[in-house]
Amino acid sequence: MAKLTPTPDMVCRVEKSGNRYNAYNTDGVKMTSDITTGCRKKAFEGDYLIGRFVGTTGKTYWRRVDGDTNMNTTPTTPHNTTVEVPTGHDEILAFIHNSYSLKPTGLMMNELKWKYLVRSGVRGKNIMMTGPAGCGKTMAAKALVNSLDRPDFYFNLGATQDPRATLIGNVHFEKNSGTYFSESVFVKAIQTPNAVILLDELSRAHPDAWNILMTVLDYGQRYLRLDEADGQGTVKVAEGVTFVATANIGNEYTSTRVMDKALMDRFTIVEMDVLNESEEVELLTYMFPHVDSLTLANVAKIASLTRNEASSDTARVGSGISTRTTVELSGLLFDGFTLPEAAEVSIYPQYDNAGGVDSERTFVKQIVQKFCDDGSSDDLFNEEEVAEATA
């Protein structure tokens, strides 16, 4: 019997914009955030289409397809669409206040803050996304980039080892041509009119990177000096360029640096909120519709309890469980792990085990164990559990 070939429910073509590889389906909807960077890059370099397939468990995956780019495929779930940003004041007002429909379903962000984010992007403001780790700062920044019909560039400054090479370029020597200067992708990016430039992990960047960016981000200057020597050339930032940065601010982030106040003043701050319990349930249910709804509700409850505890005056844990962790834990549940197993590998390693029964880890384990039993009680500890913990 001939083996049946699965049919994709969506087909995308990949195009390069700036230094990013964007994917568009046959209806013109931008699907970049749904497909991994590696998959998009290979499709672009190999000049082939990629299709979305549904596996036997209901989980979707993307792979190469051969066929007509004009296939009539329709998305099964709503996604944000790239639209042309207007220029007239009245049209801009209408665009901003009707922009909530552009927000991806998987991004939990209230309407006011999303409109503020879009308004800042449309008006060419420098935007800094702040908030606790794992709350969706980078996702929100990328959602803004994906929603605007503009060239976009991505730079992870937290992973930058040589700020000058990344932001300016390098001097090279060749035997035949001698010494020459090779400008960075960042130099090309800031010269691209109406570009949106994402500066991820700005708070983890080297101070040298901040110094280089000072004049670039200043509305009164907007230039990049290629060399500090007198008489050296400068590069002007093109008209309409928007910078979007993400940052973790606070003494709990040990790998970050205290950001220069002058640098922060160059940004409009958009603060991401920590999800409440019902929002967490909504997000996890959207992302993992095939996982038992009661189990997902328990995951959200566990996260909510740890966050409330971390914010109390007598906190027994230093930080609550992040949304990034609840998504990872729910992914493990989808892949057949039990809640105790998923918690063992994704939650407990984040908490200190020093102190025995009084440790952070023991406290979090007791919270999780309560939901492994029946998931119904709001009382964290009964008398029997306290006696067992202190025995």
Side-chain angles (χ1 to χ4, degrees):
M1 180 181 293
K3 185 178 180 180
L4 295 177
T5 302
T7 302
D9 65 357
M10 182 183 298
V11 174
C12 292
R13 174 174 292 283
V14 179
E15 299 174 1
K16 192 171 183 180
S17 172
N19 66 344
R20 300 183 76 225
Y21 298 89
N22 291 320
Y24 299 89
N25 69 13
T26 51
D27 294 324
V29 177
K30 196 172 186 179
M31 303 297 298
T32 302
S33 58
D34 289 42
I35 311 170
T36 64
T37 302
C39 181
R40 286 183 276 118
K41 183 177 181 181
K42 289 179 180 178
F44 176 80
E45 293 177 345
D47 192 25
Y48 58 78
L49 304 177
I50 46 178
R52 186 176 69 182
F53 297 83
V54 181
T56 56
T57 62
K59 193 172 183 179
T60 59
Y61 62 96
W62 297 82
R63 65 177 174 83
R64 175 174 179 166
V65 295
D66 298 311
D68 184 3
T69 61
N70 296 316
M71 292 177 61
N72 182 21
T73 54
T74 304
T76 56
T77 56
H79 291 270
N80 57 311
T81 306
T82 302
V83 296
E84 184 177 352
V85 180
T87 55
H89 179 64
D90 292 340
E91 290 80 7
I92 287 177
L93 287 182
F95 176 79
I96 292 171
H97 293 285
N98 294 321
S99 65
Y100 198 58
S101 61
L102 299 176
K103 184 187 72 67
T105 308
L107 174 63
M108 306 304 293
M109 190 176 187
N110 69 50
E111 185 172 357
L112 173 61
K113 290 196 174 182
W114 173 260
K115 288 180 179 178
Y116 181 48
L117 176 61
V118 171
R119 178 263 176 187
S120 300
V122 170
R123 291 299 188 185
K125 302 291 185 180
N126 300 329
I127 305 164
M128 180 180 290
M129 308 293 302
T130 67
C135 69
K137 296 184 296 296
T138 301
M139 183 180 181
K142 289 183 176 180
L144 173 66
V145 169
N146 288 337
S147 297
L148 303 180
D149 187 20
R150 295 180 174 178
D152 49 271
F153 298 82
Y154 175 85
F155 301 92
N156 189 325
L157 297 184
T160 300
Q161 301 298 319
D162 186 347
R164 180 177 175 79
T166 300
L167 298 176
I168 297 178
N170 276 318
V171 174
H172 300 277
F173 175 79
E174 287 187 358
K175 184 176 180 180
N176 296 330
S177 57
T179 301
Y180 67 96
F181 175 74
S182 176
E183 65 183 23
S184 68
V185 175
F186 183 76
V187 172
K188 297 181 177 69
I190 65 174
Q191 295 180 88
T192 305
N194 299 313
V196 182
I197 300 175
L198 178 55
L199 306 173
D200 208 6
E201 301 283 6
L202 183 62
S203 52
R204 296 180 183 273
H206 193 281
D208 286 350
W210 297 347
N211 292 334
I212 293 171
L213 290 170
M214 282 291 190
T215 57
V216 175
L217 298 169
D218 191 296
Y219 293 116
Q221 301 181 71
R222 301 286 276 185
Y223 70 84
L224 174 67
R225 186 179 294 279
L226 298 180
D227 197 295
E228 293 301 320
D230 291 338
Q232 291 299 309
T234 59
V235 175
K236 297 290 291 183
V237 177
E239 188 72 23
V241 172
T242 298
F243 295 91
V244 184
T246 67
N248 292 320
I249 300 174
N251 56 15
E252 68 267 35
Y253 302 111
T254 57
S255 295
T256 63
R257 297 177 170 89
V258 178
M259 293 188 65
D260 190 298
K261 186 65 168 61
L263 182 69
M264 291 193 64
D265 283 346
R266 285 161 165 77
F267 288 95
T268 294
I269 305 297
V270 179
E271 185 179 30
M272 293 292 293
D273 297 318
V274 177
L275 301 187
N276 60 38
E277 187 178 332
S278 61
E279 291 171 333
E280 197 92 22
V281 172
E282 182 182 348
L283 173 63
L284 297 179
T285 302
Y286 167 75
M287 296 184 69
F288 302 97
H290 299 284
V291 176
D292 177 66
S293 59
L294 178 59
T295 304
L296 292 180
N298 287 343
V299 171
K301 184 69 174 178
I302 291 169
S304 178
L305 289 170
T306 61
R307 293 167 191 169
N308 291 339
E309 179 64 29
S311 62
S312 70
D313 293 335
T314 57
R316 284 168 284 184
V317 291
S319 61
I321 296 171
S322 71
T323 297
R324 180 181 292 123
T325 297
T326 63
V327 170
E328 171 62 20
L329 190 149
S330 300
L332 291 170
L333 296 174
F334 178 79
D335 288 333
F337 291 82
T338 65
L339 181 56
E341 291 171 337
E344 183 73 33
V345 295
S346 65
I347 296 179
Y348 301 155
Q350 300 182 33
Y351 292 94
D352 193 353
N353 200 27
V357 296
D358 295 323
S359 69
E360 287 189 347
R361 185 173 298 187
T362 297
F363 178 77
V364 174
K365 278 186 175 182
Q366 289 173 320
I367 293 178
V368 173
Q369 187 58 48
K370 193 69 177 177
F371 291 91
C372 293
D373 290 338
D374 56 27
S376 60
S377 175
D378 289 331
D379 299 322
L380 287 183
F381 311 107
N382 56 37
E383 293 180 358
E384 182 179 348
E385 288 172 329
V386 173
E388 289 179 357
T390 55

